[in-house]
Amino acid sequence: MASGSTIICLDDVSFSYAGGADEGERALDHVSLSVCEGEFVGVIGPSGAGKSTLAALMSGAIPHHYRGSLFGTTLVDGVDTCNATLTDISRVVGSVAQDIDSQMVASVVEDELLFGLENFGVDHALIEGRVSAALEACGIASLRDREIATLSGGQKQKVAIAAILAMRPRVLVLDEPTAALDPASSTLVFETLRRLNREEGITIVVIEQKVALLSEFSDRILVMGDGRLELDGTPREVFSHGDELRRLGVDSPRVARVSNSLVQHGILPPTPPCLSVDEAAGLVAELVRGRTGRGANIAPFRAGSPHAPSPRPRAVDAEPCVSFRDVCFTYPGSGARVTDLTFDVYPGELVGIVGQNGAGKTTLTKLLNGLLRPSSGRIVVAGLDMADTPTSTIAAHVATLFQNPDRQICKDTVLDEIAFGLELTGVATDVARHRARAVAERFGLPPDEAPFSLSRGQRQMVALASVVVMEPEVVLLDEPTSGLDYRECMTVMETVREMADRGCAVIMVCHDMEVVSDFAERLLVMADGRILGQGETPEVFANVELMDRARVEPPQIIALSTMLARDVSREFAGVSQVSGIVDLVKELVSHD
């Protein structure tokens, strides 16, 4: 917990980057705040709100790395960052960047930790103790001799934290550390941060889009918008402003949205929002039982409850766009493999693939788009047998959005990038550019700017736009919402759903279970290279045994509806939306 003494202080700070397309536009605008020693502070806000700029100020990257116009004062441990060297600041504040791979400098875990210690001139007699302590603190002592390239995303994230921790900083500043991680790995990273905060006394400042995680782990949350500090308070204080957050383009935990909605509808008196499924379940149970005077299962079960979503219709009597039968593949030399993959995807379906990092999800997508060929089994895509179809032919039918957008962006302007795939398939340049401009407008992208001048989230949208414009029969999305704020996420996923509505088969690998629950009507659950189960989304998420086997955390609303169906009324079964929970509660209490 916070000790009360200030470790970082921003006093009326404004900053504009030099040399950018919007030079002179303030990335931070008159920001004043203090962070006390021992605090665990979360930072949220839409893309472009100034979150990464705030992190750069706290870590000393501004003014020592990024150039621009800086006003106001930033103090780290009482010293003005303009008067201290970056090395001196780094002894107090350690930072973990958004792109972990770009931060790694060594090939082996131990060497990654040694690099910073040796560059800081730490006495060799102290280095072994520092390395061992940092690895132990992050729970990765067993990875000491591992090649970094063989680690999962969550393991890499812990290595990056350990490498900074070995420097013995008093503050850790992390920029979206779980953006590419599955829910279980994300929770493990946050548990590591909380342990460092509580046991080592390290101050944590973490920028994150996963608001449910922040609400659980943070003492305090800062909300940024257009370079300004819009809200500052405890999680309950901040998430009580649900409407204001939505206007800013920031989501709230789904259970907070439930309790806030019940207050807005007059079903509850003004009360702080719930922050966990258990809290929300207890609140609803008490509310319903208090109004009705009856116990569990107060309402009879009605098949086809109007509060449970109806599955989207798909093409009737259509042949599947994608068909896997007993497909196997093994990576040479590593032993990693997928086994006995069998499933179908039909035109107009939006199918989600969920599972931990390393479950085999990305391998499945590479088998589907022809980047890998199965060692056994049969794959048919858009009527083509993948065994003897060239990858170039497959690409005309299957469009892929890869996990890292920077690996598929290659043109100098957004417009050129979006039009590039069309031109490769023979579409006339003027037609391709016309279609590309329309898609850029749909996504709110600046057509004439360089893609790499945009934020990580905007680059993700450029990559997706280059897929959408192709109008393929099958679309593969590998983490399509990674790095996006709530508003961008909704824009992207509504566009994806429109593609499915037009008959495109969409297959989406995604770690955001709320997005999966909102948009995918069917799920494949993977673990250890196998499909453990498949079926309609609410049914699969409500299968507690299956979720435990796959180590997948169901989204909050389905976890809540499952608990309420067991303890309050069976009518909650299958409800997967905030509105469904609220409407059913209104219905139950009105029958008093």
Side-chain angles (χ1 to χ4, degrees), residues 231-304:
L231 292 170
D232 179 356
T234 66
R236 292 194 198 279
E237 290 170 343
V238 167
F239 290 120
S240 66
H241 297 272
D243 291 341
E244 185 176 346
L245 292 173
R246 186 67 64 89
R247 285 193 295 272
L248 287 170
V250 177
D251 198 12
S252 299
R254 299 302 170 94
V255 291
R257 286 166 58 178
V258 168
S259 53
N260 286 340
S261 293
L262 291 172
V263 170
Q264 290 173 348
H265 284 86
I267 301 170
L268 276 178
T271 185
C274 297
L275 297 180
S276 72
V277 172
D278 286 343
E279 280 184 5
L283 183 146
V284 171
E286 182 179 353
L287 177 66
V288 172
R289 290 169 182 163
R291 294 285 184 90
T292 64
R294 283 174 282 177
N297 294 319
I298 58 172
F301 178 74
R302 295 199 308 268

Side-chain angles (χ1 to χ4, degrees), residues 472-484:
E473 295 160 77
V474 180
V475 171
L476 293 178
L477 306 173
D478 194 353
E479 298 299 336
T481 63
S482 174
L484 303 187

Side-chain angles (χ1 to χ4, degrees), residues 267 281-299 563-570 572 585 588-590 592:
I267 301 170
L283 183 146
V284 171
E286 182 179 353
L287 177 66
V288 172
R289 290 169 182 163
R291 294 285 184 90
T292 64
R294 283 174 282 177
N297 294 319
I298 58 172
M563 192 176 295
L564 293 174
R566 181 193 67 202
D567 298 337
V568 177
S569 168
R570 287 170 291 172
F572 283 102
V585 171
L588 293 175
V589 299
S590 69
D592 183 3

